[in-house]
Amino acid sequence: EDQVTQSPEALRLQEGESSSLNCSYTVSGLRGLFWYRQDPGKGPEFLFTLYSAGEEKEKERLKATLTKKESFLHITAPKPEDSATYLCAVPGDYKLSFGAGTTVTVRA
Amino acid sequence: DSGVTQTPKHLITATGQRVTLRCSPRSGDLSVYWYQQSLDQGLQFLIQYYNGEERAKGNILERFSAQQFPDLHSELNLSSLELGDSALYFCASSVGTGAGGGNIQYFGAGTRLSVL
C-alpha cells in the first residue's frame, strides 16, 4: 500500500524566515504527487501536481520540487497568511493517500 | 472557492442516530469522493462514485453508505452513530475516474459531525 510521510509535524517560523517541508513516499509506481494547503476547519485547497523527478512548480512564495523518493515544499520569506497545514498526497488507482501534514505557523 | 458544495456545515446529533451529508460536485465533474478526517487518523478515503456508479471503497464502515444521483450530487449516509464517528467529512470531485496525476481532486469545505 502507498505510504506518505511528512516532516516535521509542526514548524514555527518568523516572518521572512524561509524553510522547507519534506514529503517522502513509497509507491509501486508514481503517478504524480499532490500538494494541498488546509486552513483550520476548511477543506484542502489544491496547490501543485508534480509528475516526474526533477520537476519544480512555483506559486507566490511556495515552490515544490520532486525527486524519486521525496518532495519538498519550500516557503520563501513567509508571511503570516502562509500559516496553514500543508498536505502531500500520492494517487493510487482511485484514491489519494495523504500524509499527516505539516502545520506551519508564521509569526509577524 | 473550489466549486464543491457540502451541506450542512455542522451537524450535532446523538449516538444511535442516522444523518445524511450532501455534496454537489464542481460543474462538469463526474467523480465524487468522500473522505473522513479525524485528529488521530488524518484524511482517510471512504468511497468513490463515478457518473452514478460506485468505483472504489476504502475503509468505510458497514454502517456508512453513499450514493450518487443522476444529477451527480452525492449523499453519504451514516447510521447507528457512535462517539468515534465525530469527525470532519469531506467531499471531493474530479473530472475523470482514477487518481492519476492528471485527475485533480477539488475538495469542499466539509461537514463537521459531532456525535454526543
Side-chain angles (χ1 to χ4, degrees), chain B residues 7-93:
Chain B
T7 57
K9 290 186 178 180
H10 303 279
L11 207 46
I12 302 174
T13 189
T15 54
Q17 295 299 303
R18 182 179 191 276
V19 297
T20 298
L21 282 55
R22 182 188 169 100
C23 169
S24 294
R26 295 189 322 152
S27 177
D29 284 359
L30 297 179
S31 275
V32 169
Y33 310 79
W34 286 96
Y35 290 84
Q36 180 191 56
Q37 187 176 42
S38 56
L39 285 175
D40 58 345
Q41 290 289 325
L43 267 166
Q44 300 291 318
F45 170 73
L46 294 177
I47 196 165
Q48 183 215 357
Y49 279 81
Y50 175 77
N51 203 21
E53 293 187 3
E54 181 185 305
R55 281 301 181 101
K57 270 187 174 181
N59 295 325
I60 187 168
L61 300 172
E62 287 191 9
R63 301 183 285 108
F64 295 1
S65 64
Q67 54 185 329
Q68 186 179 29
F69 295 87
D71 67 352
L72 300 178
H73 91 271
S74 178
E75 293 181 356
L76 179 67
N77 300 296
L78 315 176
S79 61
S80 302
L81 285 167
E82 302 175 359
L83 296 177
D85 297 326
S86 296
L88 274 166
Y89 291 84
F90 289 106
C91 166
S93 73

Side-chain angles (χ1 to χ4, degrees), chain A residues 43-88:
Chain A
E45 174 190 348
F46 171 74
L47 292 174
F48 306 108
T49 306
L50 302 166
Y51 292 96
S52 56
E55 187 175 0
E56 299 183 352
K57 287 195 177 172
E58 289 188 62
K59 180 179 180 179
E60 295 181 358
R61 295 174 292 282
L62 301 176
K63 183 169 81 172
T65 62
L66 184 66
T67 72
K68 288 185 178 179
K69 293 183 179 181
E70 57 193 348
S71 177
F72 293 93
L73 184 66
H74 308 277
I75 310 179
T76 302
K79 298 182 177 182
E81 53 262 42
D82 295 321
S83 298
T85 296
Y86 292 88
L87 301 164
C88 69

Side-chain angles (χ1 to χ4, degrees), chain A residues 1 31-34 36 38 40-46 48-51 87 90-100, chain B residues 2 33 35 37 42-45 48 55-56 58-59 88 90 97-110 112:
Chain A
E1 185 163 318
R31 286 178 271 185
L33 184 137
F34 294 87
Y36 285 83
Q38 186 175 22
K42 297 191 177 180
E45 174 190 348
F46 171 74
F48 306 108
T49 306
L50 302 166
Y51 292 96
L87 301 164
V90 294
D93 288 334
Y94 296 102
K95 66 174 183 178
L96 288 175
S97 294
F98 281 88
Chain B
S2 67
Y33 310 79
Y35 290 84
Q37 187 176 42
L43 267 166
Q44 300 291 318
F45 170 73
Q48 183 215 357
R55 281 301 181 101
N59 295 325
L88 274 166
F90 289 106
T97 187
N103 193 34
I104 297 168
Q105 294 184 25
Y106 294 91
F107 284 76
R112 180 177 296 279

